[in-house]
Amino acid sequence: MAEPTFPRLPLDDPTLADRHLLALPAGVEPEEVEVLAASRFRTVGWEDVTPETTTRTGMMPAVTAAFGIRTVGRRAPRVRALRLARLSRLAGPYSIEAQDAVALGLPASSVMVWVLEAPRERGERPWPGGDREGLKRAFPDGLPVREEERVLRWLVATARRLCGAVRTQTGVVLTPDPDAATDLTVLTDRWLEPADVLALVQRVQPRAYLSVATPGSWTGPTVLAGRGSQGAVGGSPEAGGSGLRAALEQHGVVDPDDRRRLMAEADAFDELMLAAPPPAEAFGVLVDLGVDGMLAVEVAACEQLPPLMEDLPWTKDGVVAYRVRWEPFEIEQIEQEKPSLGHRVARSRSAPLVAGVAKVLQAAVGGEIADEADFLVDPADL
C-alpha cells in the first residue's frame, strides 16, 4: 500500500474534537484551497506547524474508530497551515480513511481534511427563519460571531464550491449543496448602456426586457392620494394623519398663487428630466421565467472587490458589476438548507440560463466571473 501524500489526521489528538473540520473529496489540490482563501481574506499565507519527524506510537488496528487512530513508526510529512485571519488558520491537509470519515459523520468520499484553528466567539441564540447554511442547526445555543463567523462561513462556502463537507465543533456535519449557488457576477472595467446589455441578454433569453421606467409611464399620484383623498368616496386617510395636516397648515405655503407657481416649477423640472434624463448609474434587465421565477441582471458600480482582484491593474479606476441572479417564485425557499423538490427542479432549469447570460456578458465586456461567495469562476467551466 502506497504511503499517503499527506500526514494522517491525528484522531488521537484530544483538541481535535473542539475544532471545525473541512473535508474534501479526491481531486482537490491544496492550491485550490489557498486560492479560495485569498478570494475572501487579505492575510493568506503558509506557515509551518510541525517539522518533518519520525514517530512510533503503537500498532495500527485494522479498523480505527473516530479519534482513536494510532500510527506505526514512519516518517511523518511536515504539516503546514494556511493563515486566514489574525487569530485563525487552517492546518493541513491531512489524509483520512473512509471508515474514519464515516465515524466522524463525514462523507465516505472524503480523502482530505483541514483543521480550523480559530477563536470561539458566540453570540445570541439563532432567531427563527431561514438557515441556508445550516449554522442555526449546528449552533442552537449561540451563533458564531466576529472572526469565527467569518472563517466558518468561508469553510461552508469552500465546501459548497469543492463538493466537500464541514464538521463543526458541535459535532454537526454540514454538507452544502453545490447546486444551491446559482448567481454569478461579471466584474469588469467596461460600462455598457442599457440597450446594449438588453441585446446581449436577449441572445440567451429573447423575452428579456429593461427594468426601467419609460417616459410617460407615470402620470403622478392618483386623485385618492394625499389631500385629494380627504372627503373622497373610497379615499384613504392622508399619510401621516392629522399631524401632517396640522404641520402643513402651520408651515406650508398658504398663498394659492405661490402654490400654483411652485407646482408649475416642479412640473417644468419633471418635464425637463423626462425629456433629457441623466445618464443611468444603475439599471436592470429582467426575464420572466413563469413558474420558475425571474432572472435579473443588475448593473451598477462594484462597491467591494474580492481581495484577489484588488491589485489588478484594470481595477484601479473602478469596476462595474453585472450581477446575474435567479429569483424563484417562492423566494423563501432560497434560505432553506433543504429546499422543496419543486424549488430544486426550477433551480435546475434556471441555473443554465444564469450561466449562459454570464458567459455572454463576460465575452462582451471581459473581466472576471465570480460566484455568490466571491470565488472566481472560469467561463469554460460554466
Side-chain angles (χ1 to χ4, degrees):
M1 182 177 178
E3 287 290 312
T5 305
F6 307 117
R8 292 187 181 278
L9 182 67
L11 294 170
D12 58 340
D13 184 351
T15 66
L16 196 63
D18 291 328
R19 306 291 189 188
H20 305 303
L21 307 180
L22 170 65
L24 299 174
V28 178
E29 298 295 332
E31 290 75 16
E32 295 182 66
V33 178
E34 179 184 9
V35 170
L36 296 183
S39 299
R40 185 72 63 85
F41 305 104
R42 293 180 174 82
T43 58
V44 173
W46 290 101
E47 302 173 351
D48 285 336
V49 176
T50 61
E52 188 177 42
T53 58
T54 301
T55 60
R56 177 179 292 275
T57 58
M59 298 300 293
M60 180 184 297
V63 178
T64 58
F67 301 126
I69 191 172
R70 295 295 184 270
T71 59
V72 179
R74 67 179 63 183
R75 183 165 294 278
R78 183 181 61 184
V79 177
R80 296 190 301 169
L82 195 59
R83 173 63 61 181
L84 302 177
R86 187 172 66 90
L87 301 175
S88 303
R89 64 181 187 175
L90 197 65
Y94 297 94
S95 65
I96 189 171
E97 298 292 337
Q99 64 267 24
D100 293 319
V102 172
L104 290 172
L106 297 169
S109 59
S110 303
V111 300
M112 175 192 298
V113 173
W114 298 75
V115 180
L116 178 64
E117 301 173 5
R120 185 181 301 182
E121 300 176 285
R122 305 290 162 82
E124 298 179 351
R125 294 173 62 89
W127 291 88
D131 188 21
R132 182 183 184 186
E133 296 174 334
L135 296 181
K136 293 182 179 181
R137 176 171 62 87
F139 302 95
D141 298 325
L143 287 170
V145 296
R146 294 184 287 274
E147 187 167 314
E148 186 184 22
E149 179 189 11
R150 291 193 295 271
V151 295
L152 186 56
R153 288 189 182 278
W154 174 81
L155 277 190
V156 176
T158 300
R160 175 176 286 114
R161 175 66 178 266
L162 300 177
C163 300
V166 174
R167 186 184 192 276
T168 65
Q169 172 269 331
T170 60
V172 175
V173 175
L174 308 176
T175 309
D177 183 359
D179 294 334
T182 59
D183 298 353
L184 297 169
T185 301
V186 179
L187 301 169
T188 178
D189 59 349
R190 289 191 57 191
W191 169 271
L192 292 182
E193 294 301 322
D196 297 325
V197 175
L198 176 62
L200 290 171
V201 177
Q202 286 177 335
R203 294 184 187 177
V204 181
Q205 279 292 302
R207 295 177 297 170
Y209 60 93
L210 282 174
S211 177
V212 294
T214 57
S217 61
W218 187 73
T219 57
T222 68
V223 295
L224 297 182
R227 284 178 170 168
S229 68
Q230 304 304 304
V233 177
S236 59
E238 181 179 353
S242 60
L244 175 61
R245 186 163 56 253
L248 288 174
E249 292 173 354
Q250 180 180 356
H251 304 289
V253 178
V254 177
D255 187 270
D257 293 334
D258 287 342
R259 284 205 298 267
R260 281 191 292 270
R261 177 179 57 80
L262 291 174
M263 290 297 297
E265 291 179 357
D267 290 340
F269 181 80
D270 291 343
E271 184 178 354
L272 175 63
M273 289 296 99
L274 289 173
E281 296 182 357
F283 62 91
V285 173
L286 296 176
V287 181
D288 189 347
L289 302 179
V291 295
D292 290 344
M294 297 287 293
L295 187 151
V297 180
E298 300 170 352
V299 184
C302 181
E303 300 294 335
Q304 184 173 358
L305 278 172
L308 200 62
M309 297 179 59
E310 290 179 342
D311 294 330
L312 296 179
W314 60 268
T315 65
K316 298 300 182 182
D317 296 326
V319 172
V320 181
Y322 297 79
R323 305 187 187 278
V324 188
R325 300 190 303 105
W326 173 60
E327 189 172 291
F329 185 76
E330 296 181 349
I331 191 67
E332 66 277 3
Q333 289 289 327
I334 283 185
E335 296 303 321
Q336 299 299 317
E337 186 180 8
K338 296 186 181 299
S340 66
L341 175 61
H343 175 88
R344 299 197 303 271
V345 171
R347 186 180 66 194
S348 68
R349 290 193 292 249
S350 304
L353 302 179
V354 172
V357 170
K359 288 180 67 174
V360 166
L361 290 172
Q362 196 271 341
V365 301
E368 300 285 350
I369 299 179
D371 65 11
E372 295 181 13
D374 286 338
F375 298 155
L376 299 187
V377 180
D378 189 338
D381 294 334
L382 296 176

